Amino acid sequence: MNEEYNSIMKNDTWELIELPKDKIPIGCKWFFKEKFNADGSVDKYKARLVAKGYAQKEGIDYEDTFVPIAKLNTIRIMIALDTQQN
């Protein structure tokens, strides 16, 4: 948990701010997972801190959502199209 927390803080993933008086904080939950080697022995332990986004209400807690995720194949296609079209 400490490694995950330190990683979050190091990467400026989020910052603590004062909560407005008329708002209720959204909770979070820790998820733990074991990663295994091919022989079945434990390789490492993973911890992830996840916000309980299902508790939010559109138009009240948020207006818009955006997650900038692209698969490597999509990036390759975009580069190939760009190269082909000069």
Side-chain angles (χ1 to χ4, degrees), residues 31-74:
F31 283 93
F32 301 99
K33 186 173 185 177
E34 295 175 333
K35 297 285 186 165
F36 297 95
N37 292 317
D39 65 0
S41 62
V42 175
D43 179 38
K44 58 184 167 182
Y45 298 97
K46 302 282 284 185
R48 290 287 178 253
L49 181 62
V50 181
K52 294 180 180 177
Y54 57 82
Q56 295 178 308
K57 293 180 177 57
E58 185 176 4
I60 298 172
D61 298 314
Y62 69 93
E63 299 293 329
D64 200 10
T65 59
F66 176 74
V67 180
I69 297 175
K71 292 185 177 183
L72 185 56
N73 289 341
T74 304

Side-chain angles (χ1 to χ4, degrees), residues 69-86:
I69 297 175
K71 292 185 177 183
L72 185 56
N73 289 341
T74 304
I75 295 170
R76 286 181 180 161
I77 290 170
M78 296 299 291
I79 291 171
L81 287 172
D82 187 49
T83 303
Q84 188 180 36
Q85 298 295 319
N86 292 326

